[in-house]
Amino acid sequence: MIVIQSRDNPLVKRVHALSTSGRERRKQGLTVLDGAHLVAAALDAGVGVCQLVVSESGLASEEHQALIARLDRLCPQATLPDKLFAHVSGLDTPSGLLALMATPALGAPVATVAQSVVVLDGVQDAGNLGTLLRTAAAAGIQHAWLTEGCAQAWSPRVLRAGMGAHFLMKVYERVDAVSLLADFPGPVMATVLGARSQSLYAVDLAAPTAWLFGAEGRGLSPALLARATCHVHIPMPGAIESLNVAAAAAICLFEQVRQQG
């Protein structure tokens, strides 16, 4: 393991750029896994990493030591002073260990999936997007279609909020969901407020479903909403107008899990 002390080191500059710039991540085809949990999740899923970086204090962690040993001779490893590690991390609470990995290159998604799919439309908040993917993965969803306006799915903040969900499902970005849904074989479900929508708990969710979730505030785009074959709402007896999109998605997806037994 090499020891790096300077901000001018090429590796330091590279990791900092990848941590803070979506443009740089797209240019290099790489992203940053910040934290032992994410790195371990990637390795457990058979995803390799191309660089490991550990802070000086992070070396004392038994969890970090196990990953260092696991990656011995598999990729270059470097240690940085804590202050320099915080600089390259880009997160408010650096974990003390991070790794670089190649961003997966997926082909175009297929509309005729035999399982449910989540369609995320313009979800720009990294925490919400990561939580949505984590929730979907927990509910057994294996496909996520993200429209053009969504946050970058493989950004460090989305990855951290996803807690390993990215490695359990196929996450497609910049998807033309409006066109794809024209060929989707099952119901296309949108959560909306209004008298014409049905209660979520009165709808049969036995079939594979395309779940549409839009950004808070704006909601679903009109074109995407027009593709929905069923409008549902979540009954809320309290005096609250709406739910956070990630919370609403959790209720919907796990109601389907409940119905499917």
Side-chain angles (χ1 to χ4, degrees), residues 187-213:
V188 179
M189 203 78 59
T191 54
V192 298
L193 299 175
R196 295 185 179 181
S197 63
Q198 304 178 62
S199 167
L200 171 70
Y201 306 121
V203 177
D204 184 354
L205 300 174
T209 301
W211 289 98
L212 312 183
F213 299 110

Side-chain angles (χ1 to χ4, degrees), residues 1-21:
M1 180 177 291
I2 64 171
V3 178
I4 297 174
Q5 299 285 345
S6 172
R7 282 197 180 197
D8 294 327
N9 182 277
L11 178 60
V12 169
K13 291 182 177 180
R14 185 185 197 192
V15 176
H16 179 262
L18 291 169
S19 294
T20 57
S21 170

Side-chain angles (χ1 to χ4, degrees), residues 49-230:
V49 301
C50 56
Q51 174 72 57
L52 188 69
V53 180
V54 190
S55 68
E56 285 183 351
S57 62
L59 289 171
S61 165
E62 292 185 3
E63 186 178 24
H64 293 177
Q65 286 290 346
L67 285 172
I68 291 169
R70 187 174 177 181
L71 287 167
D72 185 39
R73 300 181 182 179
L74 295 180
C75 73
Q77 302 183 7
T79 182
L80 308 179
D82 289 0
K83 187 174 181 180
L84 191 55
F85 185 93
H87 167 70
V88 303
S89 171
L91 297 180
D92 297 332
T93 54
S95 64
L97 179 144
L98 60 78
L100 304 185
M101 63 160 278
T103 305
L106 299 178
V110 178
T112 56
V113 294
Q115 300 172 332
S116 291
V117 59
V118 292
V119 182
L120 307 181
D121 184 34
V123 180
Q124 297 179 344
D125 182 83
N128 273 343
L129 181 55
T131 301
L132 279 161
L133 294 175
R134 181 182 181 184
T135 299
I141 304 292
Q142 297 182 14
H143 300 264
W145 301 347
L146 279 56
T147 67
E148 180 71 32
C150 286
Q152 193 179 51
W154 292 90
S155 73
R157 292 182 184 275
V158 175
L159 280 160
R160 198 168 194 184
M163 293 291 288
H166 292 67
F167 307 117
L168 301 175
M169 57 195 309
K170 292 183 178 180
V171 182
Y172 298 91
E173 297 188 87
R174 300 181 178 183
V175 170
D176 181 1
V178 173
S179 297
L180 279 172
L181 288 171
D183 297 321
F184 189 80
V188 179
M189 203 78 59
T191 54
V192 298
L193 299 175
R196 295 185 179 181
S197 63
Q198 304 178 62
S199 167
L200 171 70
Y201 306 121
V203 177
D204 184 354
L205 300 174
T209 301
W211 289 98
L212 312 183
F213 299 110
E216 291 185 70
R218 182 178 69 87
L220 292 168
S221 67
L224 194 55
L225 183 59
R227 287 294 188 193
T229 59
C230 183

